[in-house]
Every structure is written in C-alpha cells, then in structure tokens.
C-alpha cells in the first residue's frame, strides 16, 4: 500500500506540474495574440489599461537568469524597449504570498540589470489559480506588478480572441478550471 501511495503522490505532482505549464502557455498566448492591443486594466488589477507592444521579438518559456532553480522565469517576453517577466502558480488550497512576489520582483530586477540602459519598460505579471494573500496584493500594488486570477485570465483570453480555459473535475468530483 505504501508503494501505491507514493506512486499516486508522484502522479499527482506531475499532473499539477503539467497544469502549471498549461497556464504558462495560456499567458504566452495572451501576449502573442494581444500584440498591438490595449487590454482592460481590470484583468491585471490595474487602474490603467495595459497596451501590449507592437511586436514581441520573442516569448520564451522557463528561461533561467542563473543556475539556481529559483532563478527560473516561467514566461519571458521582449520587445524593442519593453520586457515582460511572468510567473504562474497552480496551487490547490494555497494562495500566493508575499515571499513569492518578492522572488518575482528580484527576477525582474536582475533582468532589468541584464537588459541595460535601453530598457524603458519592465512589466511584471503574476498569475495564481487560487489567488493571492492580502499582503502579496499590497506589495504588488505598491510595486506596480500586474496580477491575474483565473477569471481575469479567462477575460484576457476572450479579449484577444481565444477560448476560455477548460474545466476539469478534481479528486473530489468538483469542476475546476485548468489555468
């Protein structure tokens, strides 16, 4: 029975990893399809609408700023003078906290330094399936971080002409979105 439990836990972790990656792909698709568009700020918890660059030079998944695992960027996008650093968390029953936001801000600052003086705009975007703690939200507001929850990502997808996130049934038989 112990082996069965270990096997289940391994499969459960892999499924959650894949769901997290799927959310990253959706974020990247919002950036690709949103080029040259102005998106409603409410989807990013911003008082101002967000205009995406005319053309991204690249959009990459899971790039590293250094050798440490915590230096991985889920989605990175660059235009001429604008850079996006994006993070996605697929957690069940756990909100993203202050520490995760601080980590993302450190990555953005490291990228800003790497880009040099030609960079005019650094956008930081955080997505969380289960949302954010109040302390994390306060920090994101203070630092100008864009953030989205599941409903926001659905709205962004529709805004750029893509389908909403699919729904799945979790272990308890409750329908849940895949984002």
């Amino acid at each position: 029975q112990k082996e069965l439990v270990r096997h289940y836990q391994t499969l459960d972790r892999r499924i959650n990893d894949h769901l997290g990656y799927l959310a990253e792909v959706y974020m990247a698709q919002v950036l690709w399809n949103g080029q040259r568009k102005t998106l409603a700020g409410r989807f990013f918890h911003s008082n101002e609408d967000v205009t995406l660059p005319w053309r991204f030079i690249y959009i990459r998944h899971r790039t590293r700023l250094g050798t440490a695992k915590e230096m991985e960027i889920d989605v990175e996008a660059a235009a001429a003078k604008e850079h996006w650093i994006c993070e996605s968390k697929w957690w069940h029953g756990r909100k993203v906290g202050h520490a995760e936001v601080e980590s993302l801000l450190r990555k953005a600052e490291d990228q800003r330094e790497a880009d040099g003086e030609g960079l005019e705009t650094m956008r930081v975007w955080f997505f969380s399936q289960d949302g954010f703690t109040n302390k994390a939200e306060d920090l994101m507001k203070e630092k100008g971080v864009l953030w989205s929850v599941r409903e926001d990502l659905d709205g962004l997808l529709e805004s750029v002409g893509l389908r909403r996130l699919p729904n799945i049934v979790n272990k308890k038989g409750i329908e849940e979105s895949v984002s």
Side-chain angles (χ1 to χ4, degrees), residues 17-167:
D17 286 345
H18 288 300
L19 293 173
Y21 184 72
L22 182 61
E24 294 167 20
V25 170
Y26 278 105
M27 292 175 80
Q29 288 303 307
V30 166
L31 296 176
W32 276 126
N33 287 42
Q35 294 177 107
R36 291 177 243 149
K37 293 182 179 157
T38 298
L39 304 175
R42 71 179 181 277
F43 297 131
F44 296 105
H45 295 262
S46 171
N47 292 330
E48 297 178 12
D49 291 342
V50 177
T51 301
L52 287 134
W54 176 78
R55 182 175 183 268
F56 282 109
I57 298 165
Y58 65 81
I59 297 177
R60 298 180 181 149
H61 291 266
R62 298 192 177 182
T63 58
R64 288 192 185 268
L65 290 172
T67 57
K69 184 180 183 335
E70 62 272 1
M71 292 308 292
E72 181 179 273
I73 298 170
D74 291 344
V75 179
E76 175 192 6
K81 296 182 178 192
E82 184 170 333
H83 210 112
W84 284 65
I85 301 295
C86 312
E87 183 84 16
S88 170
K89 293 295 182 199
W90 179 268
W91 292 341
H92 293 282
R94 179 178 166 208
K95 294 180 183 276
V96 168
H98 188 268
E100 290 83 19
V101 175
E102 285 182 332
S103 174
L104 180 59
L105 288 167
R106 278 192 301 276
K107 293 175 197 178
E109 189 54 40
D110 287 348
Q111 186 62 56
R112 181 186 301 279
E113 288 175 18
D115 283 346
E117 291 182 22
L119 181 67
E120 291 179 3
T121 305
M122 172 62 75
R123 300 272 191 184
V124 182
W125 180 22
F126 212 139
F127 167 77
S128 173
Q129 166 67 22
D130 276 2
F132 301 89
T133 65
N134 290 336
K135 192 174 179 183
E137 287 183 7
D138 290 344
L139 179 59
M140 289 187 292
K141 286 176 190 172
E142 175 188 329
K143 299 295 184 177
V145 174
L146 306 174
W147 82 89
S148 305
V149 295
R150 193 254 187 226
E151 295 79 20
D152 302 321
L153 192 50
D154 272 342
L156 286 165
L157 289 164
E158 287 181 344
S159 293
V160 298
L162 299 170
R163 287 186 289 168
R164 295 171 65 98
L165 300 164
N167 291 323

